[in-house]
Amino acid sequence: MPNNQTSSVVETSIDVTNFTFHDFKNLTLDNGTKFTGH
């Protein structure tokens, strides 16, 4: 992940979930400012 900006975190999260063979049941995130753009 190039930085902690909202767009980078979202793009990286999407890439990880799209390119793994695992089913994600939940995703635990912190309350940092990078998630204010949800």
Side-chain angles (χ1 to χ4, degrees), residues 4-18:
N4 281 339
Q5 298 296 316
T6 302
S7 58
S8 295
V9 173
V10 170
E11 288 177 25
T12 301
S13 299
I14 291 170
D15 287 345
V16 167
T17 56
N18 285 339

Side-chain angles (χ1 to χ4, degrees), residues 13-30:
S13 299
I14 291 170
D15 287 345
V16 167
T17 56
N18 285 339
F19 296 108
T20 61
F21 297 106
H22 301 285
D23 292 329
F24 289 89
K25 295 186 181 190
N26 63 25
L27 183 61
T28 303
L29 306 171
D30 66 8

